[in-house]
Amino acid sequence: MAFEVAKLAGLPHEVIERAREVLAEHESAELRLTEQLASDESRPARPAQLTIFTPLSQPVLERLRELDLNRLTPLEALNLLAELKKQVE
């Protein structure tokens, strides 16, 4: 659907195709990393590039799900971002 919106917005065909390629690469890399993390649990942890929505980011997602984001003040949002950043570093 996002690519259809991009077409409606008048983005050049080349930009849309490149976005599709980048998305496919990201999804493939995330799948490989998730499979690797699942199979390597008995081995010592190696540094890995964090990607969106992997098992490594679950505590952050759970924290976000607990919040009522519509009632969060700007200052509370900034403090929350600082707290979450510490968790993923």
Side-chain angles (χ1 to χ4, degrees), residues 18-52:
R18 180 63 183 136
R20 281 191 174 115
E21 292 171 8
V22 170
L23 179 60
E25 290 171 14
H26 178 75
E27 289 173 338
S28 175
E30 184 172 343
L31 179 61
R32 284 191 310 272
L33 180 58
T34 301
E35 289 172 350
Q36 178 184 2
L37 289 172
S39 66
D40 287 351
E41 288 183 3
S42 62
R43 297 181 190 159
R46 299 182 311 182
Q49 176 69 39
L50 296 178
T51 59
I52 299 173

Side-chain angles (χ1 to χ4, degrees), residues 4-83:
E4 300 306 316
V5 172
K7 286 180 189 176
L8 290 173
L11 290 175
H13 177 72
E14 296 81 15
V15 171
I16 296 170
E17 286 305 311
R18 180 63 183 136
R20 281 191 174 115
E21 292 171 8
V22 170
L23 179 60
E25 290 171 14
H26 178 75
E27 289 173 338
S28 175
E30 184 172 343
L31 179 61
R32 284 191 310 272
L33 180 58
T34 301
E35 289 172 350
Q36 178 184 2
L37 289 172
S39 66
D40 287 351
E41 288 183 3
S42 62
R43 297 181 190 159
R46 299 182 311 182
Q49 176 69 39
L50 296 178
T51 59
I52 299 173
F53 307 123
T54 65
L56 298 175
S57 61
Q58 289 304 315
V60 172
L61 289 174
E62 292 303 319
R63 178 78 167 102
L64 291 173
R65 286 185 182 117
E66 294 170 356
L67 296 171
D68 181 357
L69 297 176
N70 293 321
R71 295 183 182 262
L72 208 57
T73 67
L75 182 57
E76 290 170 333
L78 288 172
N79 288 332
L80 175 64
L81 285 174
E83 176 189 326

